[in-house]
Amino acid sequence: DTFNYDFDLNRYIKFVKELFNNFYVNQKDCTKYIANEYKDYISSFVKIGDYENSKKSIEVLVVQLNKTSSRDRARTMQRNFIANWLGKTGKDAALVAFYGDDPQDWRFSFVKMEYRLAEVEPGKVKAVKELTPAKRYSFLVGMNEPNHTCRRQFLELVQHEDINPSVDEIEKAFSIDNVTKEFFTEYKELFHKLNESLQNVTKKDAYVRQEFEDKNISTVDFAKKLLGQIVFIYFLQKKGWLGVEVKNKWGTGPKDFMRKLFGGGKNEYVPLVPYDNFFNDILEPLFYDALANPREGEDGYYRLFKCKIPFLNGGLFEPINEYSWEKTDIVIKDRIFEKIFSTFDRFNFTVKEDEPLEKEVAVDPEMLGKVFENLLEVKDRKSKGAFYTPREIVHYMCQQSLINYLETNISVPRGDIETFIQQGEITISTNIRTLDKIKKLEKEMISGFVSVQEFNKKIKEYSERLNIPISIVKNKEKIDILLKTIKIIDPAVGSGAFPVGMMNEIVTARSVLTNFYPEKEQEKRTEYTLKRDVIENNLYGVDIEPSAVEITKLRFWLSLIVDELDMRNIKPLPNLDHKIMCGNSLLEEFEGVKLFDEKLLGEVKRDFSHELEQIDKEIGKLNREMRDIALGKKENNGRSRAIEREIKKLEKRKHELQFGPKEKIKDQSLWDALQHRIKDSQKKLNELEKL
């Protein structure tokens, strides 16, 4: 009853008492202790009591958010609020119910403090709070959410009346691993059933068989794409963007739109539109007409279903290999879709991919990558190099790549770049009040109430408070352009872990810089616009496996819709056909064009044009300031000498960039040996290919 319905304090307390035997309820309103930086987000805060086991303690809390949307957005704020509270009370963890102005759907979270061991003196260590002191694991539960996983994972703990659960056991109940294994098993079974059904269709129907042969379509690829399309719809319907009534706003559509189309289910729906065969009469028009083609006007009304359906484009909803869906009757048995929907209806789907500190116990886009690997047989997995890379490794490698790229292309100390890339988002999210002061300071400078010198002095002070190095703030435009123009390719894209990881790191870094831009500029730099910019301009991928390409595209498209609440702000999804491509990246040549130039090994060339342009602008700015001092428009106060020194430094740097020595491999003997090894390896490779 606790998780199947809207949030109810009494039901929640009853559940806690069942979970923690002999739990003493000591309810206390702690709203007055909400710090200023959280008051815009949180309206009330209640402590239910404490639980202790094996010298570890858990606080049981209830947080009411100002808006329901805050339940899904501002997740970092929620985690930091609880971490801040635990830091004051000294407890190890908290069990928290977060609910908004609409309590039908709410978040049940476990927040755990993280510590590291630090050497205080030789031979002695102690636990020290990290800058990022907490991790959060959450279930989304309530009236409209499938909560099968949450109920199943807590059932055993609740049933033990004589044994009190440990903090570790509570954390285990929030583990995503169980969801992952269960979803893998179910998805694989669905795939095999769907593939088997398609094979039967092609055996019995000569027209379909001929169409598949002519268009080079395998039943395996068809089944994979179809399941991927259905999964995307499950993510999309969570946004309320499907089946919206004519006069209603985007976002108000049913969260179980697919079940309404099909009919049946726990609510015993009558199908939205009568049909003879669900795939032929309903799914194909939905995928290849409603979602794939623009309609006149902006209301998105689709006559067949008598409701609003968004135009998405993007290639996901294009027929595989352009098969003729309108002329081809692919009659897949309806019971296959009943099985698919009854399985998917049991799981929570979240479009938000996990972050290192924030884990949603639900099916997220990353899980599709794991499914892709799982669907390959072991022999195929080895031959195609399809091995899942853990998120922590992806996170680390992407950050290190960006750090090296920025260090190579801009004169900022590596340590400052590391702080910016590795800790920027965390420090920004925990210092909301300082950011407000920066915005106020910018307005005062624009209005003339604060001088440029005073502004720079204050910005330095605020950046130190935010733990963002001043060198990053001063070079924000240069860094932003470098991040905006970077080109990244993954030659074996797999399930898209690295491109998606890179997208998240670039967006995070540019979002941190956004805080130091004027307010008008900040409004344009939303997470959606930054993500779209990165996907369209920075990322490329190749894979020999067609389904890998489809899953990578799917993850990119899902990442674009995750944070946007208003469908009107979503442009048609970008076509990624020329960004993420199916092919063999190990080929030496393509259509006579050599793909690798050995000269690239000879010298490292860097493009300094942007930095030279910035130096010229800075010198021009300083010369204008010197002129104003000479004309008496500005006071000197020793500033002219400082300007002269700055100009000399800039001119020296400019000379180094224009005429400095290029980095070459100096030892010719080493170079010759390297060339010999390359040719020898190529010869052996050719012999192996012949064999």
Side-chain angles (χ1 to χ4, degrees), residues 10 31 72 77 79 154 169 178 229 260 351 400-401 423 438 444 559 564 568 582 605 647 651 687:
N10 292 326
T31 305
D72 297 314
M77 175 279 300
R79 185 180 69 246
F154 274 95
E169 284 175 318
N178 294 333
Q229 290 167 323
K260 281 195 164 185
V351 282
Q400 290 303 310
S401 299
Q423 301 175 6
I438 290 173
E444 288 174 345
S559 70
E564 191 54 66
R568 291 171 300 178
C582 190
K605 290 184 179 180
I647 289 174
E651 286 179 339
E687 288 171 0

Side-chain angles (χ1 to χ4, degrees), residues 236-494:
L236 197 64
Q237 69 184 6
K238 293 276 288 188
K239 306 286 288 183
W241 289 354
L242 297 169
V244 179
E245 292 184 19
V246 181
K247 294 180 181 178
N248 290 355
K249 294 180 180 178
W250 291 106
T252 59
K255 302 292 177 67
D256 55 353
F257 176 71
M258 287 300 273
R259 177 51 79 175
K260 281 195 164 185
L261 272 182
F262 186 77
K266 66 178 182 180
N267 294 318
E268 292 297 327
Y269 288 126
V270 174
L272 202 62
V273 178
Y275 59 83
D276 293 322
N277 177 263
F278 184 70
F279 178 73
N280 212 38
D281 301 339
I282 302 296
L283 279 191
E284 284 188 312
L286 172 65
F287 292 162
Y288 309 131
D289 187 18
L291 292 163
N293 295 316
R295 291 176 289 287
E296 288 183 13
E298 294 183 3
D299 64 347
Y301 182 73
Y302 188 60
R303 292 184 182 280
L304 179 61
F305 300 154
K306 298 174 184 175
C307 60
K308 293 201 287 188
I309 304 285
F311 160 57
L312 293 180
N313 192 21
L316 175 64
F317 294 107
E318 289 176 0
I320 185 170
N321 294 7
E322 298 180 348
Y323 83 92
S324 180
W325 68 273
E326 289 173 293
K327 295 177 182 177
T328 310
D329 292 330
I330 301 174
V331 184
I332 302 169
K333 291 179 180 177
D334 289 346
R335 68 167 181 265
I336 299 291
F337 294 101
E338 170 57 49
K339 177 67 176 170
I340 291 171
F341 298 145
S342 61
T343 300
F344 285 1
D345 286 347
R346 289 179 17 236
F347 290 92
N348 270 97
F349 283 79
T350 174
V351 282
K352 190 79 173 176
E353 296 211 25
D354 283 345
E355 301 157 9
L357 298 175
E358 188 82 36
K359 296 190 183 294
E360 189 98 4
V361 190
V363 177
D364 73 356
E366 187 198 22
M367 220 179 262
L368 301 180
K370 297 176 185 175
V371 167
F372 153 69
E373 184 206 331
N374 210 43
L375 287 178
L376 288 174
E377 297 300 327
V378 174
K379 60 183 176 64
D380 289 335
R381 217 178 293 172
K382 286 180 179 177
S383 67
K384 292 170 182 173
F387 290 96
Y388 170 70
T389 309
R391 184 184 295 275
E392 288 75 17
I393 294 175
V394 173
H395 182 63
Y396 171 79
M397 291 177 70
C398 290
Q399 285 195 342
Q400 290 303 310
S401 299
L402 278 184
I403 289 165
N404 289 332
Y405 166 72
L406 291 175
E407 185 190 20
T408 304
N409 289 285
I410 197 166
S411 300
V412 172
R414 183 181 176 90
D416 289 359
I417 296 171
E418 286 176 344
T419 302
F420 163 59
I421 294 294
Q422 294 171 348
Q423 301 175 6
E425 183 189 28
I426 296 152
T427 52
I428 288 290
S429 63
T430 53
N431 289 277
I432 299 166
R433 293 176 75 182
T434 304
L435 290 173
D436 290 339
K437 287 180 181 178
I438 290 173
K439 289 176 185 176
K440 185 182 176 184
L441 186 67
E442 284 171 345
K443 288 176 182 175
E444 288 174 345
M445 186 189 70
I446 293 165
S447 306
F449 293 113
V450 172
S451 67
V452 175
Q453 290 86 350
E454 183 65 19
F455 175 79
N456 289 334
K457 183 181 173 184
K458 282 282 185 186
I459 279 287
K460 185 177 180 182
E461 179 191 322
Y462 290 147
S463 72
E464 286 170 359
R465 200 178 297 174
L466 289 167
N467 199 33
I468 301 293
I470 191 64
S471 61
I472 300 295
V473 180
K474 282 184 175 178
N475 290 283
K476 64 178 184 290
E477 288 92 355
K478 295 178 187 177
I479 294 169
D480 195 58
I481 288 173
L482 284 170
L483 292 172
K484 185 180 172 66
T485 55
I486 189 174
K487 301 292 180 189
I488 298 152
I489 184 163
D490 187 339
V493 81

Side-chain angles (χ1 to χ4, degrees), residues 38 75-88 91-94 96 98 109-116 128-138 171 355-359 426 429-430:
Y38 302 111
R75 301 198 305 173
T76 305
M77 175 279 300
Q78 296 167 24
R79 185 180 69 246
N80 287 338
F81 170 68
I82 300 300
N84 183 275
W85 175 259
L86 290 174
K88 290 175 183 175
K91 299 293 191 294
D92 298 287
V96 194
F98 292 94
S109 298
F110 176 72
V111 183
K112 182 187 175 188
M113 296 295 280
E114 288 289 312
Y115 298 97
R116 65 179 172 84
V128 176
K129 275 187 198 175
E130 284 275 22
L131 177 68
T132 57
K135 283 187 178 179
R136 182 167 78 147
Y137 309 83
S138 300
E171 184 175 354
E355 301 157 9
L357 298 175
E358 188 82 36
K359 296 190 183 294
I426 296 152
S429 63
T430 53

Side-chain angles (χ1 to χ4, degrees), residues 191-205 208-209 212 218-220 222-223 330 332:
F191 163 73
H192 287 309
K193 284 184 182 296
L194 183 56
N195 185 43
E196 195 178 299
S197 181
L198 281 163
Q199 286 174 343
N200 289 333
V201 171
T202 55
K203 281 178 186 175
K204 293 175 182 177
D205 192 317
V208 174
R209 184 169 61 252
F212 274 39
S218 72
T219 57
V220 168
F222 195 100
I330 301 174
I332 302 169

